[in-house]
Amino acid sequence: MGSIIGSLYAAGYSADSILYIAKKMDWDQILSNQSSLRNIIMEEKNEYNKYDLELPWVNNFFRISTGVLEGQELWLKFSELLFPVYKIKNFDSLDIPFKCIATDISTGQAVVLDSGELVSAVRASMAIPSVFTAVEYNGRLLVDGGIVRNFPVKDVRQMGAQFVIGSNVTASLLPANKVNNAIQVLLQVAFFREAEDTKLEVPLCNIYVQTPLEKYTMGTFSQANEIIDSGIEEGRRLYPQLKRLADSLNALYGKDSNYKELPDLRGVKISSFEVNGLKNTSKDFFIHTTGLLTNHVYTPRMLSYMVRRAGGTRYYTRIVYHLDPLPDHSAKIIFDVTESPLTFAKLSLHYNQFTGISAILNVTSRDFFTPNSRSSFTLNIGENFRAKAEHLQYLGRDRKYALKLFTQFDQMNFTTYSNTKEAGIYNQNYFLLDGKLGYSTNRDVTVGIGTRFEWTRYKPSITSALEFKGTDDFPTSYVYINHNSLDRPVYPRKGVRSELEGDWVYTQNPDLQLHTNVQDADTVTVSSPYPRIVFHFESYTPLSNKSTLLFMIQSGMNFQKGNVMNQFSIGGLTNSFHNQITFAGLREGSYYTSSSAELQAGFRYNFYGNLYLTGRANVMFNNFINNQNKFYDSPDFLSGYALTFTYNFVLGPLELSAMYCDQWKRVMGYVNIGIPF
């Protein structure tokens, strides 16, 4: 952290500016390996950051992840902040001379960084082992200098400083009873040498500032304000001493009138480029995905946006750049790229009261069958068996067109209800074969056409007053338009997601019988094609740093009677299966209807770290097109509520909910862990 603060101050940022940056920084985003969902191309968003564990296929074997951060967003933030001094390659030429310390991972020796790329030097100096990846710098692989010299007073003296003020915010080594996990062991061992070195460096300071921060760690960025307040309090205590020093220096040398502010450089003309590290993708593809045009002026934010665009293809693990000034006042941009492995094995766990507990296994490979493609196979192994396979083929130079072939099989058990009571259980087998062609106008919108074939078999395992038995199959052609501008795949804070699909359902081929407790079996026949509309809309609006307003609309409409095997299923808080319309207040499959429209509003509050509390209220209107109460006794109006406590941890969200429906008049619990299949 010393190198970060020091470089910003040396470049010309004032203390107030650095304070503002620290408070406004999205630390969760900066200190992660994840990009904002908004940067991901549309065809990749559904699978992005969905699994708990991802193992890359490297050197003919699936490798365990190192668990360390590449720091892509960190690189980009440093590049933006230090952009005004990109021309300075000798750090002594900064407004205030600057050096930082790193450690050569091959020798264990301290390396003083005083020239080259300032962003890379800072990033190397803060590469804490087991937390951040090492940085290659001038032919050396470097990590955090704090391992050998976290408090480099000797180096400051060698730079010519005659009076040294040192501030140390590093806590001492943990006692043995506090070292409880592998990360703590690694950090403890890594900083043995640093602790000893600090004891030698502290006496070399004229004024030593040590803020009591024992209850904080190097990872408590969410408590930045409290830590800053501690520093200000210590500064006030030392103010008389610092004031006397300033007055003495001013009396001897006069007030410093040569202080320079941060250079006012807002953009640079890029006249050429270089790309290093490509193997599986071409330079043309990389530059095209960034959108870079030579002889155009770019701001640092525009350059970051270009990097995120390329990263959004998911072909690259890390992309960093630096600028080399040219004699004509333009610059050459040099990209250093680390490509992602082409194949990953993925694993996650999921549980809720409807689907039960399951392990979700996935293998995803790019360019396996054909170039510019993504193929995947996913299994849901648990109380309900599910499987799906997909091949996504990108078309065209800019990959805005995509052909998707998809198949899925589900074997699930559904509970039936009668007068708010559990009445029976039936087993449903569902098979889907789907092909569609989509065009993405940008990173947020896709339009397309497709055709799918669906087959459903229904078989009661515990009979009820209403009993279906048999199969049905039918093809459907459709057009669709999808929009997704959410910032996160899980618990987004802002953005909109919407899906609109217009269907033409062709002739159905049912082999289905209906039994009730008051009549013999009826054979259900459906022959006429019919239109169908499905719509989903959800929006998230931040009201403050802690609170978010939620709004959702869901609707499904079949424009013909007799669609017994293609109805909309009402209930549940988690979208888990086809034709489902979630409803706060009811369990999955509580009712079935041929037409439904739901409005939901909610409020979510992040009261600490990863802890959330969400309240929802919704109303639903049913049976407004082709009432089918002959088959399903669904009410025309429903209203319900839910209150959800969430802890968002490594396995995904742990959600504990209490639900209430005005029509059922009872409180129900609901548990969901992780992201569903």
Side-chain angles (χ1 to χ4, degrees):
M1 189 56 70
S3 62
I4 300 172
I5 302 298
S7 64
L8 294 175
Y9 198 64
Y13 284 91
S14 66
D16 284 344
S17 297
I18 297 172
L19 177 64
Y20 178 82
I21 291 168
K23 288 187 173 183
K24 293 297 181 181
M25 196 85 77
D26 184 353
W27 292 108
D28 288 339
Q29 184 67 45
I30 293 293
L31 297 173
S32 75
N33 279 333
Q34 305 300 330
S35 176
S36 169
L37 188 63
R38 293 184 170 187
N39 301 322
I40 307 300
I41 60 178
M42 276 293 289
E43 297 295 344
E44 301 284 343
K45 289 189 178 186
N46 286 339
E47 291 294 306
Y48 182 65
N49 202 26
K50 182 178 180 179
Y51 294 91
D52 304 325
L53 179 65
E54 298 191 5
L55 306 178
W57 179 264
V58 179
N59 296 329
N60 300 315
F61 196 77
F62 285 114
R63 302 291 179 181
I64 298 294
S65 172
T66 60
V68 296
L69 301 176
E70 292 285 354
Q72 173 72 76
E73 288 297 319
L74 206 58
W75 280 98
L76 294 179
K77 180 54 68 175
F78 289 164
S79 296
E80 290 180 18
L81 293 173
L82 297 173
F83 175 81
V85 294
Y86 85 87
K87 295 180 181 179
I88 297 177
K89 307 302 180 182
N90 184 334
F91 303 163
D92 285 339
S93 300
L94 291 166
D95 185 21
I96 299 172
F98 171 77
K99 299 184 194 313
C100 59
I101 308 294
T103 303
D104 189 327
I105 201 170
S106 63
T107 65
Q109 299 299 310
V111 179
V112 178
L113 305 178
D114 56 9
S115 62
E117 295 301 322
L118 182 58
V119 174
S120 297
V122 172
R123 173 62 177 81
S125 182
M126 60 154 289
I128 302 168
S130 78
V131 178
F132 290 99
T133 52
V135 175
E136 187 175 346
Y137 190 87
N138 292 338
R140 290 176 163 180
L141 198 60
L142 304 180
V143 294
D144 186 4
I147 295 175
V148 293
R149 199 179 307 161
N150 192 50
F151 199 54
V153 183
K154 286 187 293 188
D155 300 275
V156 174
R157 291 284 187 186
Q158 291 171 4
M159 291 174 70
Q162 298 176 352
F163 198 100
V164 177
I165 303 171
S167 175
N168 185 13
V169 296
T170 303
S172 58
L173 293 173
L174 294 172
N177 63 342
K178 297 292 186 181
V179 181
N180 299 319
N181 58 56
I183 296 297
Q184 290 175 337
V185 170
L186 288 171
L187 292 176
Q188 189 88 338
V189 172
F191 289 106
F192 277 156
R193 187 172 170 185
E194 175 268 327
E196 291 301 315
D197 184 74
T198 298
K199 293 178 183 178
L200 301 176
E201 299 281 347
V202 168
L204 301 178
C205 294
N206 298 94
I207 297 177
Y208 177 63
V209 183
Q210 184 172 27
T211 307
L213 299 174
E214 290 80 8
K215 65 178 181 178
Y216 305 104
T217 71
M218 65 182 71
T220 48
F221 289 91
S222 61
Q223 297 172 276
N225 289 339
E226 298 172 27
I227 295 172
I228 289 169
D229 290 342
S230 297
I232 291 174
E233 183 179 345
E234 184 67 11
R236 286 174 178 156
R237 187 184 69 80
L238 291 171
Y239 178 77
Q241 188 177 358
L242 298 173
K243 181 67 166 60
R244 286 194 300 272
L245 174 61
D247 291 342
S248 175
L249 292 172
N250 290 337
L252 288 173
Y253 304 109
K255 289 190 175 182
D256 185 4
S257 60
N258 296 320
Y259 183 79
K260 300 176 184 178
E261 294 183 351
L262 187 72
D264 186 18
L265 181 63
R266 302 183 183 181
V268 61
K269 180 180 179 181
I270 304 295
S271 57
S272 59
F273 61 84
E274 179 181 324
V275 185
N276 302 316
L278 297 180
K279 179 181 178 182
N280 299 316
T281 57
S282 66
K283 181 170 68 174
D284 179 70
F285 169 74
F286 176 82
I287 292 298
H288 191 72
T289 56
T290 65
L292 175 67
L293 299 173
T294 55
N295 297 316
H296 281 62
V297 174
Y298 290 93
T299 65
R301 287 192 176 184
M302 293 167 66
L303 294 174
S304 294
Y305 175 73
M306 289 194 313
V307 169
R308 293 186 182 108
R309 276 180 56 87
T313 64
R314 305 202 69 190
Y315 271 92
Y316 308 105
T317 301
R318 183 175 68 185
I319 304 169
V320 298
Y321 72 86
H322 66 268
L323 299 168
D324 282 350
L326 299 176
D328 63 355
H329 303 293
S330 68
K332 178 181 182 180
I333 187 168
I334 300 174
F335 295 99
D336 292 305
V337 178
T338 302
E339 291 182 315
S340 301
L342 292 178
T343 301
F344 281 86
K346 306 176 185 181
L347 169 68
S348 64
L349 300 176
H350 178 250
Y351 170 81
N352 70 28
Q353 288 167 281
F354 172 68
T355 59
I357 190 168
S358 58
I360 304 175
L361 311 175
N362 171 277
V363 176
T364 298
S365 185
R366 299 182 185 276
D367 304 345
F368 184 77
F369 294 108
T370 57
N372 303 322
S373 68
R374 185 196 71 200
S375 304
S376 66
F377 179 71
T378 310
L379 283 177
N380 184 100
I381 301 174
E383 296 178 37
N384 294 284
F385 176 79
R386 310 175 76 181
K388 62 183 177 183
E390 172 190 302
H391 180 76
L392 180 69
Q393 183 67 56
Y394 292 105
L395 306 172
R397 181 188 180 202
D398 53 8
R399 302 196 178 193
K400 289 188 174 182
Y401 289 94
L403 176 65
K404 183 176 180 181
L405 303 177
F406 180 84
T407 186
Q408 180 169 330
F409 176 78
D410 297 342
Q411 181 177 303
M412 307 182 72
N413 291 314
F414 284 75
T415 300
T416 60
Y417 295 87
S418 177
N419 296 322
T420 76
K421 303 294 184 181
E422 295 183 6
I425 298 175
Y426 70 87
N427 177 265
Q428 177 182 281
N429 291 349
Y430 174 75
F431 173 75
L432 168 69
L433 184 62
D434 191 310
K436 62 182 179 181
L437 177 65
Y439 171 73
S440 298
T441 59
N442 51 41
R443 298 286 164 118
D444 298 339
V445 178
T446 295
V447 297
I449 59 174
T451 295
R452 61 175 172 260
F453 172 80
E454 297 171 86
W455 174 87
T456 305
R457 185 182 73 174
Y458 162 68
K459 181 180 179 181
S461 55
I462 298 179
T463 60
S464 61
L466 177 67
E467 179 182 311
F468 287 102
K469 184 176 182 179
T471 65
D472 191 14
D473 62 82
F474 51 90
T476 302
S477 292
Y478 59 91
V479 296
Y480 68 93
I481 177 169
N482 296 340
H483 172 81
N484 189 333
S485 60
L486 301 180
D487 60 336
R488 302 173 184 172
V490 178
Y491 280 70
R493 293 201 64 246
K494 58 185 175 182
V496 169
R497 183 172 75 90
S498 64
E499 299 175 354
L500 174 61
E501 182 180 292
D503 299 344
W504 182 257
V505 182
Y506 296 101
T507 302
Q508 295 179 258
N509 299 291
D511 182 10
L512 180 67
Q513 290 184 327
L514 169 66
H515 298 261
T516 71
N517 58 359
V518 296
Q519 67 181 46
D520 295 330
D522 287 338
T523 300
V524 179
T525 60
V526 180
S527 58
S528 301
Y530 62 92
R532 188 173 194 258
I533 292 177
V534 181
F535 178 63
H536 177 97
F537 173 88
E538 59 185 277
S539 70
Y540 301 85
T541 305
L543 301 179
S544 68
N545 289 334
K546 294 285 189 177
S547 58
T548 305
L549 181 66
L550 322 176
F551 182 72
M552 184 165 65
I553 301 174
Q554 297 181 88
S555 182
M557 292 173 280
N558 287 327
F559 293 91
Q560 178 173 298
K561 291 185 178 181
N563 314 300
V564 178
M565 303 293 280
N566 201 23
Q567 303 302 297
F568 299 100
S569 175
I570 298 170
L573 295 178
T574 306
N575 201 309
S576 302
F577 53 92
H578 77 290
N579 284 351
Q580 180 188 9
I581 296 180
T582 59
F583 184 82
L586 296 174
R587 298 200 191 283
E588 290 87 347
S590 294
Y591 293 110
Y592 293 84
T593 179
S594 62
S595 55
S596 180
E598 179 207 19
L599 301 176
Q600 183 182 110
F603 178 81
R604 184 173 69 221
Y605 187 74
N606 177 204
F607 55 89
Y608 181 79
N610 290 320
L611 299 177
Y612 298 84
L613 189 66
T614 306
R616 299 181 182 90
N618 48 203
V619 295
M620 176 176 283
F621 303 90
N622 300 313
N623 307 316
F624 49 85
I625 297 176
N626 296 326
N627 191 333
Q628 292 203 118
N629 280 346
K630 174 184 177 182
F631 303 113
Y632 302 110
D633 186 19
S634 55
D636 293 341
F637 177 79
L638 290 166
S639 55
Y641 320 89
L643 186 65
T644 302
F645 171 81
T646 303
Y647 175 57
N648 196 15
F649 71 130
V650 66
L651 295 180
L654 165 59
E655 299 172 318
L656 306 175
S657 302
M659 305 190 300
Y660 181 81
C661 177
D662 291 318
Q663 288 68 37
W664 284 35
K665 299 187 183 303
R666 61 182 172 125
V667 177
M668 291 178 286
Y670 190 90
V671 178
N672 181 80
I673 303 175
I675 301 174
F677 178 82

